[in-house]
Amino acid sequence: MNYLVYAVATLLAGGDVLHGLVVHGHFFAAAQGGFVEVAPALFEFCRWHSYTLLVSFPLLLWGGFHLAPEPRVSDELVFSQGD
C-alpha cells in the first residue's frame, strides 16, 4: 500500500523529487532528463514519503524472509522404507 501511494504521488508530481531541486522558492521534480515545477506541499509530501519507503521496503523484505513460517512436511508425503 505504501508503494502504491508513492507511485501515485510521483505520477502527480510528474517526476522524482528525491532527485529534484529547490531554486529561489520554486520546487522542481526530476523528470526524463529535465525538471518539472510542482507545488511546494506536493514536493514535501513526496520527499518525505520517499524517505519512508527507503526504510519500510527493506524492512518488508527482511520481515518476509525472516518472519515467515517454516514450511511443514505433510504426513502424506513421508514414505516408509519398508514398502
Side-chain angles (χ1 to χ4, degrees), residues 2-3 11-12 17 20 23-24 34 40 50-51 63 74:
N2 195 20
Y3 186 76
L11 285 173
L12 289 174
V17 298
V23 179
H24 302 294
S50 297
Y51 293 148
S74 172

Side-chain angles (χ1 to χ4, degrees), residues 6 9 11 13 17 21 24-25 27 29 35 37 46 50 52-53 60 69-70 73 76 79 83:
Y6 170 76
L11 285 173
V17 298
L21 48 97
H24 302 294
F27 296 81
F35 294 94
E37 188 169 6
C46 290
S50 297
T52 66
L53 269 182
L60 175 73
E70 299 259 341
V73 177
E76 297 172 4
F79 298 102
D83 292 337

Side-chain angles (χ1 to χ4, degrees), residues 1-82:
M1 184 69 169
N2 195 20
Y3 186 76
L4 180 63
V5 172
Y6 170 76
V8 170
T10 301
L11 285 173
L12 289 174
D16 178 24
V17 298
L18 281 182
H19 297 100
L21 48 97
V22 179
V23 179
H24 302 294
H26 295 272
F27 296 81
F28 298 92
Q32 299 180 0
F35 294 94
V36 176
E37 188 169 6
V38 298
L42 181 59
F43 184 89
E44 288 298 322
F45 173 79
C46 290
R47 183 171 66 102
W48 284 105
H49 199 264
S50 297
Y51 293 148
T52 66
L53 269 182
L54 293 175
V55 173
S56 67
F57 190 70
L59 286 175
L60 175 73
L61 291 176
W62 179 86
F65 286 119
H66 294 289
L67 301 177
E70 299 259 341
R72 295 184 348 198
V73 177
S74 172
D75 292 336
E76 297 172 4
L77 296 176
V78 177
F79 298 102
S80 67
Q81 295 191 9

